[in-house]
């Protein structure tokens, strides 16, 4: 009976019947009859009209290295509400291209993996028609293929998003909202599955956003009827991928527009490499300088004449 | 904002912005090892030119955020309190913090789902596509098993090493024991000799010998060692030449000469029963060493193509030879063989 009813109600979604849309379907199908009504009332009185229709375009720049490409593919497998598109040339006008592409695919947000010099990965998150967009530097990438990460979960099940409580400043708040919208799988998405067996972690440590993905596992006996006891036995197994986002800039528009935030502590990897090189390059100059300094020092502080210098000479 | 204080990794970071910073190289040297491994270098103090448009950010946040009264089931997001500040460079502590955050979030979500009477975990009989393929999971499992095996093997190796050490000690103990026994025996022999000397050789030769032989019970045990100069059939213990006639217990002075004679007697047969020499004993019947020693003995493979072997033995070859050279005639004439095409 559940299947029939659901089909019926989904057909109704298209029709402008506002008060009985997506949300109440799920409880009907899974609940016992006597709880059904209470649940329905609770849901309908809160917000009947809202439906999350997020769609994410996931793409990357040309000449992306395989590791980062795998990371992108992992994200694609984690987000059932995403669309993957061809690689985009990473040049000055990429913003316009990407905006066009997003519109073409009728998406509402975009994840763009931009790889530069085969080693630096930048991640753009953009809300698409009219902003904002964020550019991150991605560090510490581990893909899902790594054998150390032993967990596994349903493809397309909706993740639980956990944020650490230090998303409190305006830019962190904005980032949290963007992340929540992009990484949260819409309820009743047709590719999503009705269970929740993994959890995302977004945590700000050291001014970076760290991402982790864990599988929720409980002993099999508890799985059917998880009660209070099952709560304690719940364990998490990491599934991957792992990465760490360092926000660089937040723009007002999508892939452009006025800069709203700029990370004051950010040093680009190019500068870091240049600095390292310069430090290595100064070796000879430093040696010469040290020698000169030593000489100057010796000249300014001459040794006292040694009273025993010709002691043994006299003996001969 | 207790958390905002940035971790300072690079003291010279500020100078990196303006390129002309060659004036204090000492600081750079001291800091260089920091950077070689660290990817996220930070400026010491915030750069002054950076933009922070809080109003704009909040405006945008209002623009994009969902309505306030959206139910939790749409968001599935939870804020988890981070108990204490996490040290980024301590991998274990950091991962533990993430783990606890996830676990706490899961518990809260579970309670919420429970209160909403919604399904939470996947039932064990619900099969669907997973994010990692089965073949990948097989690999993961293989790695786990290999790791386990490696640990076990290492354990075993360690145990073996320890037991070897113990065995060494035991062996040393044994050797010591043996040496001590030997010493004791020698001692006892000496003692016996002294006693005998003191008593003026009262017991006579025969008694003395008997005494020695029966001192420990082992003298009757047969030793496996081959005794030089004793024929295999000789069951008298190599004393056939000496003991049988009763004529031969001589004084210690002539012992050196007698020994050679005894040896020769036992070897070439002086005294004892001669008939026994020709008879088989248990050892000689079971001794196959000299048997089947020729070309034919060998493994089965060789026996199988016995025809070939025959040729080899006889030095015989089939008399047909093919020549392809020019001087056939000379070859034929010299070898006297017939030619087959």
């Amino acid at each position: 009976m559940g299947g029939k009813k659901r089909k019926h109600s989904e057909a109704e979604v298209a029709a402008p019947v506002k008060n009985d849309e997506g949300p109440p379907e799920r409880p009907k199908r899974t609940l016992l009859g006597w709880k059904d009504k209470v649940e329905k009332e609770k849901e309908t009185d809160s917000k009947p009209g809202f439906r999350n229709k997020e769609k994410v375009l996931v793409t990357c720049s040309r000449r992306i290295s395989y590791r980062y490409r795998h990371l992108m593919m992992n994200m694609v497998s984690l987000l059932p509400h995403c669309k993957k598109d061809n690689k985009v040339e990473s040049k000055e006008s990429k913003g316009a291209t990407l905006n066009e592409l997003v519109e073409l695919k009728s998406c509402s947000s975009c994840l763009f993996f931009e790889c530069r010099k085969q080693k630096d990965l930048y991640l753009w998150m953009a809300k698409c028609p009219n902003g904002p967009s964020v550019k991150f530097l991605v560090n510490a990438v581990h893909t899902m293929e790594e054998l150390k990460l032993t967990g596994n979960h349903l493809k397309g099940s909706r993740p639980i998003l956990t944020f650490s409580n230090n998303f409190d400043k305006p830019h962190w708040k904005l980032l949290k909202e963007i992340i929540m919208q992009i990484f949260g799988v819409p309820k009743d998405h047709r590719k999503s599955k009705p269970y929740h067996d993994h959890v995302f972690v977004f945590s700000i440590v050291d001014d970076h956003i760290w991402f982790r993905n864990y599988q929720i596992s409980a002993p099999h006996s508890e799985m059917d009827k998880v009660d209070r006891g099952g709560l304690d036995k719940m364990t998490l197994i990491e599934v991957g991928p792992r990465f760490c986002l360092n926000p660089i800039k937040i723009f007002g528009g999508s892939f452009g527009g006025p800069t709203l935030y700029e990370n004051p502590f950010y040093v680009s990897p190019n500068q870091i490499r240049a600095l390292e090189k310069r430090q290595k390059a100064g070796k000879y100059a430093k040696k010469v300088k040290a020698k000169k300094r030593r000489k100057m020092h010796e000249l300014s502080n001459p040794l006292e004449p040694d009273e025993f210098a010709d002691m043994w000479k006299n003996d001969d | 904002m207790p958390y905002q204080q940035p971790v300072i990794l690079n003291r010279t970071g500020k100078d990196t912005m303006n390129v002309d910073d060659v004036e204090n190289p000492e600081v750079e040297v001291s800091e260089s090892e920091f950077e070689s491994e660290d990817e996220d270098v930070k400026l010491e103090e915030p750069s002054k030119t950076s933009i922070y448009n809080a109003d704009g950010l909040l405006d945008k946040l209002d623009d994009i955020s969902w309505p306030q009264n959206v139910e939790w089931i749409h968001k599935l997001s939870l804020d988890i309190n981070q108990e204490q500040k996490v040290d980024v460079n301590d991998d274990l502590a950091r991962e533990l913090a993430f783990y606890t955050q996830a676990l706490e979030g899961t518990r809260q979500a579970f309670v919420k789902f429970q209160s909403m009477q919604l399904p939470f975990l996947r039932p064990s009989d619900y099969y669907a596509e997973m994010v990692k393929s089965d073949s990948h999971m097989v690999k993961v499992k293989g790695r786990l098993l290999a790791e386990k095996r490696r640990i076990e093997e290492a354990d075993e190796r360690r145990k073996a090493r320890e037991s070897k050490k113990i065995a060494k000690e035991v062996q040393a103990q044994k050797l010591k024991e043996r040496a001590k026994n030997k010493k004791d025996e020698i001692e006892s022999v000496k003692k016996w000799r002294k006693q005998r000397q003191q008593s003026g050789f009262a017991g006579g030769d025969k008694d003395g010998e008997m005494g020695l032989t029966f001192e420990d019970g082992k003298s009757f045990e047969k030793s496996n060692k081959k005794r030089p100069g004793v024929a295999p059939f000789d069951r008298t213990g190599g004393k056939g030449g000496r003991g049988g006639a009763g004529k031969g217990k001589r004084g210690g002075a002539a012992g050196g000469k007698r020994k050679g004679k005894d040896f020769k007697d036992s070897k070439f047969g002086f005294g004892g029963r001669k008939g026994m020499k020709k008879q088989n004993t248990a050892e000689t019947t079971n001794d196959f060493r000299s048997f089947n020693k020729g070309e034919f003995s060998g493994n089965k493979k060789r026996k199988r193509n016995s025809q070939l072997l025959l040729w080899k033995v006889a030095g015989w070859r089939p008399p047909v030879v093919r020549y392809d050279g020019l001087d056939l005639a000379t070859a034929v004439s010299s070898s006297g063989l017939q030619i087959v095409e």
Side-chain angles (χ1 to χ4, degrees):
Chain A
M1 73 129 217
K4 203 176 171 187
K5 222 169 196 177
R6 206 180 105 199
K7 232 175 236 169
H8 187 64
S9 63
E10 242 175 276
E12 274 181 348
V13 169
V17 181
K18 272 287 169 183
N19 53 354
D20 195 359
E21 251 179 302
E25 294 159 19
R26 184 55 53 74
K28 249 188 231 170
R29 198 180 54 176
T30 52
L31 282 182
L32 299 168
W34 57 280
K35 275 274 178 187
D36 204 352
K37 246 168 213 163
V38 184
E39 205 58 44
K40 203 168 161 187
E41 277 165 22
K42 213 170 98 192
E43 292 205 1
T44 44
D45 66 3
S46 60
K47 182 70 186 177
F50 181 78
R51 187 180 176 85
N52 183 5
K53 287 179 191 160
E54 192 77 23
K55 248 191 226 172
V56 186
L57 182 82
V58 178
T59 182
C60 65
S61 66
R62 293 211 168 277
R63 291 180 290 278
I64 193 171
S65 68
Y66 69 96
R67 197 177 171 75
Y68 298 146
R69 194 182 65 236
H70 286 198
L71 178 70
M72 186 189 70
M73 296 314 292
N74 290 160
M75 293 319 297
V76 168
S77 70
L78 286 180
L79 307 176
H81 59 296
C82 80
K83 285 190 172 182
K84 198 171 91 52
D85 202 68
N86 296 342
K87 290 175 180 170
V88 175
E89 190 69 51
S90 145
K91 54 187 178 190
E92 288 304 305
S93 65
K94 67 172 182 289
T97 323
L98 278 168
N99 277 335
E100 227 168 80
L101 208 63
V102 171
E103 210 171 313
L104 214 69
K105 294 276 176 183
S106 64
C107 292
S108 56
S109 47
C110 180
L111 279 181
F112 178 55
F113 291 83
E114 185 179 4
C115 183
R116 291 212 190 136
K117 299 195 169 181
Q118 293 278 318
K119 44 191 149 187
D120 305 325
L121 181 68
Y122 298 92
L123 174 62
W124 287 79
M125 285 186 195
K127 292 296 293 175
C128 258
N130 31 27
S133 53
V134 200
K135 188 184 183 187
F136 296 100
L137 177 70
V138 185
N139 288 332
V141 171
H142 296 256
T143 63
M144 230 186 240
E145 280 77 28
E146 282 179 27
L147 296 181
K148 274 186 298 188
L149 308 171
T150 53
N152 198 359
H153 60 77
L154 285 175
K155 192 172 187 170
S157 64
R158 296 183 64 205
I160 296 161
L161 309 174
T162 62
F163 292 89
S164 63
N165 61 344
N166 42 16
F167 282 87
D168 45 6
K169 301 184 82 185
H171 66 282
W172 290 128
K173 273 184 190 164
L174 184 66
L175 288 180
K176 182 183 170 185
E177 186 66 29
I178 292 173
I179 287 171
M180 204 176 71
Q181 292 189 11
I182 289 180
F183 286 88
V185 175
K187 188 173 177 303
D188 299 326
H189 188 271
R190 72 192 161 81
K191 280 189 204 160
S192 76
K193 302 218 168 68
Y195 302 103
H196 307 269
D197 62 349
H198 65 296
V199 49
F200 285 170
V201 175
F202 294 95
S203 183
I204 302 179
V205 176
D206 187 29
D207 284 347
H208 294 48
I209 301 174
W210 298 76
F211 173 85
R212 294 287 183 273
N213 176 21
Y214 293 99
Q215 174 200 353
I216 303 166
S217 85
H220 267 276
S221 55
E222 260 89 14
M223 210 101 100
D224 309 325
K225 198 172 179 253
V226 195
D227 51 356
R228 290 273 156 202
L231 208 63
D232 300 329
K233 281 174 194 158
M234 212 142 45
T235 52
L236 302 178
I237 308 167
E238 184 158 6
V239 180
R242 288 176 172 186
F243 52 84
C244 167
L245 301 172
N246 185 13
I248 303 168
K249 269 186 181 181
I250 300 177
F251 299 100
S254 80
F255 295 109
T259 307
L260 300 179
Y261 167 80
E262 198 176 355
N263 189 351
F265 300 101
Y266 174 70
V267 184
S268 88
N270 278 338
Q271 278 171 341
I272 295 165
R273 280 193 289 264
L275 183 73
E276 248 168 47
K277 243 185 197 171
R278 213 164 41 236
Q279 276 169 358
K280 272 179 198 158
K283 217 170 169 183
Y284 175 69
K286 243 178 277 167
K287 233 183 335 192
V288 170
K289 206 173 167 184
K291 252 185 201 170
K292 214 159 84 186
R293 210 165 48 212
R294 177 75 192 153
K295 216 168 200 176
M296 293 297 283
H297 179 78
E298 276 173 4
L299 284 179
S300 59
N301 312 311
L303 278 174
E304 287 175 23
D306 191 358
E307 51 182 310
F308 302 118
D310 40 20
M311 189 172 164
W312 302 106
K313 259 182 203 163
N314 295 345
D315 272 7
D316 269 338
Chain B
M1 43 166 198
Y3 192 74
Q4 198 48 37
Q5 194 65 6
V7 177
I8 298 161
L9 292 175
N10 177 18
R11 235 154 243 134
T12 59
K14 188 172 161 266
D15 295 335
T16 61
M17 300 303 280
N18 23 336
V19 185
D20 49 345
D21 66 329
V22 203
E23 37 121 45
N24 60 350
E26 288 89 350
V27 183
E28 278 187 355
V29 173
S30 64
E31 238 77 43
S32 65
E33 65 263 22
F34 269 76
E35 279 156 6
S36 56
E37 44 107 281
D38 209 324
E39 283 186 357
D40 26 72
V41 179
K42 283 182 161 187
L43 296 186
E44 180 196 337
E45 54 192 68
S47 67
K48 276 125 203 155
T49 55
S50 71
I51 301 163
Y52 195 95
N53 185 355
D55 296 336
L57 288 169
L58 290 174
D59 271 357
K60 272 293 162 197
L61 178 61
D62 282 344
D63 278 359
I64 62 162
S65 61
W66 290 343
Q68 278 299 312
N69 50 358
V70 168
E71 287 152 43
W72 178 78
I73 191 71
H74 286 283
K75 291 188 191 168
L76 288 183
S77 86
L78 290 160
D79 289 351
I80 309 299
N81 203 357
Q82 221 173 29
E83 283 93 27
Q84 63 254 36
K85 230 172 119 179
V86 182
D87 179 20
V88 230
N89 295 319
D90 185 355
D91 286 359
L92 218 62
R94 193 187 60 214
E95 295 302 321
L96 186 69
F98 296 151
Y99 183 88
T100 49
Q101 181 185 333
L103 198 64
E104 187 57 37
T106 317
R107 291 203 168 132
Q108 288 182 15
F110 172 67
V111 170
K112 285 192 177 188
F113 279 115
Q114 198 86 339
S115 69
M116 278 187 276
Q117 301 276 321
L118 290 180
F120 179 50
L121 283 179
R122 172 173 70 106
S124 50
D125 58 348
Y126 182 90
Y127 292 109
E129 194 186 358
M130 309 289 271
V131 278
K132 290 179 184 172
S133 63
D134 281 356
S135 60
H136 180 79
M137 290 316 281
V138 165
K139 263 192 230 166
V140 168
K141 196 177 163 190
R143 185 176 181 269
L144 286 179
L145 286 179
E147 208 157 83
K148 200 175 153 198
R149 205 166 49 232
R150 211 169 51 225
I151 289 169
E152 271 169 13
E153 273 170 10
D155 244 19
E156 233 159 69
R157 269 203 302 275
R158 206 190 51 233
K159 262 182 207 159
R161 218 180 299 133
E162 272 163 15
S163 69
K164 205 174 175 185
K165 220 179 260 170
I166 291 170
K168 217 174 188 178
E169 267 169 31
V170 168
Q171 187 68 18
Q173 199 75 22
K174 233 188 216 166
L175 281 177
K176 220 188 242 174
E177 188 102 338
R178 216 174 276 165
K180 195 176 160 244
N181 274 352
K182 196 175 174 188
K183 206 174 153 193
D184 281 355
E185 269 167 28
I186 289 171
E187 202 75 7
S188 72
V189 168
K190 269 182 186 165
K191 210 170 142 193
W192 167 78
R193 247 185 213 158
K194 214 175 251 173
Q195 268 180 5
R196 207 164 64 117
Q197 226 160 20
Q198 276 170 358
S199 62
F201 304 99
D205 277 358
K206 209 153 192 177
D207 282 356
E209 200 187 9
M210 294 303 274
L212 240 189
T213 17
F214 294 123
E215 203 151 29
D216 57 341
K218 283 178 188 172
S219 59
F220 288 117
E221 281 176 21
K222 198 173 179 182
S223 75
N224 286 327
K225 279 177 198 161
K226 264 193 107 183
R227 287 156 296 175
V230 179
F233 59 87
D234 196 342
R235 288 169 188 131
T236 57
K239 290 173 189 159
R242 279 170 272 174
K247 59 183 171 185
K249 277 296 147 207
R250 284 108 199 161
K257 200 187 162 196
R258 288 307 310 167
K259 223 196 227 161
K261 186 62 195 158
D262 281 350
F263 181 77
K264 274 178 188 164
D265 283 352
S266 73
K267 190 173 182 188
F268 302 111
F270 183 80
R273 284 179 57 196
K274 296 220 166 40
M276 295 286 276
K277 258 185 192 173
K278 307 267 183 184
Q279 276 181 359
N280 268 340
T281 62
E283 283 114 73
T284 52
T285 35
N286 290 326
D287 188 10
F288 289 102
R289 270 175 306 171
S290 57
F291 181 68
N292 217 1
K293 247 188 179 164
E295 287 277 357
F296 298 100
S297 70
N299 51 18
K300 283 174 185 162
K301 217 169 173 184
R302 276 184 75 188
K303 269 178 190 163
R304 210 168 285 148
N305 42 17
S306 54
Q307 186 66 38
L308 236 159
L309 263 174
L310 259 178
W311 291 357
K312 205 173 173 188
V313 170
W316 177 80
R317 295 282 180 282
V320 178
V321 179
R322 292 170 188 273
Y323 284 92
D324 52 355
L326 277 173
D327 44 359
L328 256 179
T330 53
V332 169
S333 63
S334 63
S335 64
L337 295 171
Q338 76 181 102
I339 299 168
V340 176
E341 277 184 8

